[in-house]
Amino acid sequence: MQITILVGTVNGNASSVAQALQFCADDIDATIDILPMDGLTISAFDAPGVFIVCTSTTGVGDVPPNAAGLLNSLDIEAKFLGHVRYGLVALGDSSYGDSYLGGGKKFDAKLQDLGARRVGDICEIDAMETMQPEEDAVEWLKTWAVQLATLT
């Protein structure tokens, strides 16, 4: 199974989580590539395989600056993404209230609007609740991979 992790990050936390997921590729019988969102457009979803969107939240529920171009491209270059299956790892801080996980939720809503299908639950990484975001994400990945396998 080919998995591409698209990473939106400000301070590197989402990148660290993505790297932890990549280290577990053999455990789920997959090849995992990491692709920073810098400069990406909707055409990134033309690649074969499945995707994991791994993004932090910045400001008041915004995507990180390196992810803004990809998110905007989903509007500007909108096309049907019914072939896309993805998982979502959203990082945030619940003390921010309504904007908690806003970056991830924006990607999730836009991808679903374009016909992409999210597999499984969102992996919610709350900076107020966990000191081990990488370990939490790895546990989610194992469950997600089983759910994904039932679809193929």
Side-chain angles (χ1 to χ4, degrees):
M1 166 174 38
Q2 172 64 45
I3 300 171
T4 301
I5 304 176
L6 305 175
V7 181
T9 191
V10 177
N11 297 317
N13 293 334
S15 294
S16 294
V17 168
Q19 289 171 352
L21 296 178
Q22 187 180 41
F23 287 137
C24 295
D26 288 343
D27 296 343
I28 61 167
D29 196 28
T31 299
I32 300 177
D33 295 321
I34 297 174
L35 192 58
M37 292 186 195
D38 306 74
L40 295 183
T41 66
I42 195 170
S43 64
F45 292 102
D46 293 339
V50 295
F51 298 87
I52 296 175
V53 174
C54 181
T55 186
S56 58
T57 299
T58 188
V60 185
D62 297 320
V63 299
N66 80 312
L70 177 56
L71 186 65
N72 290 337
S73 175
L74 297 177
D75 278 328
I76 295 168
E77 302 175 58
K79 63 182 178 181
F80 183 65
L81 295 177
H83 65 285
V84 173
R85 302 296 172 268
Y86 71 97
L88 178 62
V89 178
L91 292 83
D93 183 329
S94 60
S95 69
Y96 283 84
D98 291 341
S99 65
Y100 173 57
L101 304 178
K105 290 177 181 178
K106 286 179 180 178
F107 270 106
D108 193 43
K110 183 48 62 182
L111 287 169
Q112 289 187 35
D113 284 348
L114 297 176
R117 292 193 326 198
R118 178 169 38 87
V119 175
D121 294 329
I122 297 170
C123 176
E124 299 184 3
I125 305 291
D126 183 356
M128 294 296 292
E129 296 290 324
T130 186
M131 298 305 288
Q132 54 192 25
E134 294 86 356
E135 292 175 25
D136 292 351
V138 165
E139 287 305 310
W140 168 87
L141 178 69
K142 293 173 184 175
T143 301
W144 181 78
V146 170
Q147 293 171 323
L148 182 63
T150 65
L151 299 177
T152 55

